[in-house]
Amino acid sequence: MTIQINKLLTNGKAIFLAYDQGMEHGPSDFNLKNVDPNYILDIALEGHYNGIILQHGLAEKYYQDYYKDIPLIMKLNGHTTITKNEPISRQFCTVERAMKLGASAVGYTMYPGSDRQEDMMVEFSKIVDKAHDYGLPVILWMYPRGKYAYNPTDTQLLAYCARIAAELGADILKIKYNGDLEGFKWVVKNAGKTKVVISGGSKKGEHELLKKVDDIMQTGAIGLAIGRNIWQHEKPFSLTKAIQSIIFHNKTVDQAKKFLE
Ligand code: FBP
């Protein structure tokens, strides 16, 4: 069956809004405004995001008809920072439940370098098998972590992660940018036909963030899956427009900054 990926893209590029940090990091990421999922969904809708990333509980309670124009990317696994064992992110939402709740894609986090890496590879492969039966695209978060990830930002390791994503059938790979612009082209190359998006990371200054977006768009990545930098910002719509101007309209960092004046 054809994978319905075009719904997630604008001219082959994308910006997704991530909001699974409540589980991944806990409430320390939030304030009184952004703790409310409706605040985030409004940013996604009015900011014309290519998708909103949610866990199934929030999707069920908040992703109502009103928001149906934003494609839902359902995160199928997750972990918390409460326990401190060797990194593993387990599946607790099925592809079927994701579809019932209106998902246009499913997402899964893997920690290459963890003692439990193979468990996640097997679990992920079953998800790909099922999701692709329904034509649902699969996004794979690849975050090197754990006892064998000696240097998680190493370019060759990130390229290895990209290759694993391609070989396991991911349609989109979500990975962290390590700041090595030339080297990262090799990472993207290794992903083959798997499209690459970059995660935002913790909140940074506007110039630093826009420069990062500008850099990653030169590596062959198709865009971003970003969370905290947007919904922790006091002007999320202006910042969204600035980032979109680089991703979709090839604007420079200085031109993009005009949206923030
Ligand atoms: P941010 O842009 O806020 O970094 O979100 C991207 C993301 O991948 C989220 O989907 C996820 O919750 C978080 O980062 C996990 O980050 P980490 O595991 O590095 O703490």
Side-chain angles (χ1 to χ4, degrees):
M1 180 176 261
T2 317
I3 313 300
Q4 307 293 326
I5 199 167
N6 285 338
K7 198 177 168 188
L8 300 173
L9 308 175
T10 305
N11 297 328
K13 297 176 181 168
I15 178 167
F16 305 121
L17 191 61
Y19 192 59
D20 59 337
Q21 293 83 349
M23 176 180 297
E24 298 294 321
H25 302 153
S28 57
D29 276 358
F30 298 147
N31 60 26
L32 282 174
K33 241 199 241 176
N34 58 36
V35 71
D36 178 2
N38 282 121
Y39 177 71
I40 309 299
L41 278 153
D42 286 341
I43 296 174
L45 184 68
E46 287 160 38
H48 304 288
Y49 277 79
N50 293 87
I52 174 82
I53 298 162
L54 295 176
Q55 287 283 355
H56 64 104
L58 293 192
E60 187 166 47
K61 301 271 189 305
Y62 294 90
Y63 184 71
Q64 313 292 345
D65 281 352
Y66 176 69
Y67 294 115
K68 286 284 155 68
D69 283 346
I70 330 157
L72 171 64
I73 299 164
M74 187 76 84
K75 197 68 201 306
L76 299 186
N77 69 338
H79 88 306
T80 74
T81 54
I82 300 169
T83 52
K84 300 285 175 214
N85 40 6
E86 185 63 6
I88 174 136
S89 187
R90 295 310 300 255
Q91 180 180 3
F92 34 62
C93 177
T94 60
V95 170
E96 284 81 3
R97 176 160 159 81
M99 288 189 56
K100 270 188 226 148
L101 293 173
S104 297
V106 291
Y108 187 93
T109 298
M110 192 180 291
Y111 299 124
S114 161
D115 227 359
R116 311 294 304 276
Q117 170 188 294
E118 274 73 23
D119 294 344
M120 291 177 273
M121 289 170 81
V122 170
E123 199 167 70
F124 177 71
S125 296
K126 289 181 183 155
I127 286 169
V128 170
D129 194 14
K130 178 83 33 108
H132 284 183
D133 268 354
Y134 296 114
L136 215 56
V138 180
I139 304 179
L140 179 60
W141 281 230
M142 278 296 238
Y143 293 167
R145 196 164 295 177
K147 70 194 236 198
Y148 300 105
Y150 303 112
N151 182 0
T153 59
D154 175 59
T155 300
Q156 201 67 297
L157 176 59
L158 295 179
Y160 199 166
C161 291
R163 199 63 183 189
I164 296 168
E167 297 201 9
L168 290 181
D171 303 293
I172 299 178
L173 161 68
K174 182 175 190 296
I175 196 164
K176 296 184 192 204
Y177 178 56
N178 64 353
D180 173 10
L181 201 154
E182 285 310 311
F184 212 80
K185 292 177 183 170
W186 177 238
V187 177
V188 175
K189 239 334 177 231
N190 271 275
K193 287 188 177 176
T194 301
K195 298 173 192 311
V196 178
V197 295
I198 308 298
S199 66
S202 57
K203 190 158 181 272
K204 28 186 107 27
E206 289 158 358
H207 179 83
E208 192 188 340
L209 179 66
L210 295 176
K211 174 79 176 61
K212 172 174 162 173
V213 179
D214 191 45
D215 282 358
I216 61 143
M217 293 313 289
Q218 295 173 47
T219 67
I222 64 153
L224 286 179
I226 185 169
R228 289 165 288 176
N229 273 284
I230 299 296
W231 43 255
Q232 289 178 349
H233 196 275
E234 46 306 336
K235 290 182 182 168
F237 292 106
S238 308
L239 184 57
T240 297
K241 283 201 179 107
I243 293 172
Q244 287 169 334
S245 76
I246 298 175
I247 295 180
F248 299 115
H249 306 294
N250 303 316
K251 297 292 182 202
T252 63
V253 171
D254 284 340
Q255 288 168 330
K257 274 190 192 160
K258 300 245 184 308
F259 289 97
L260 293 158
E261 283 168 2

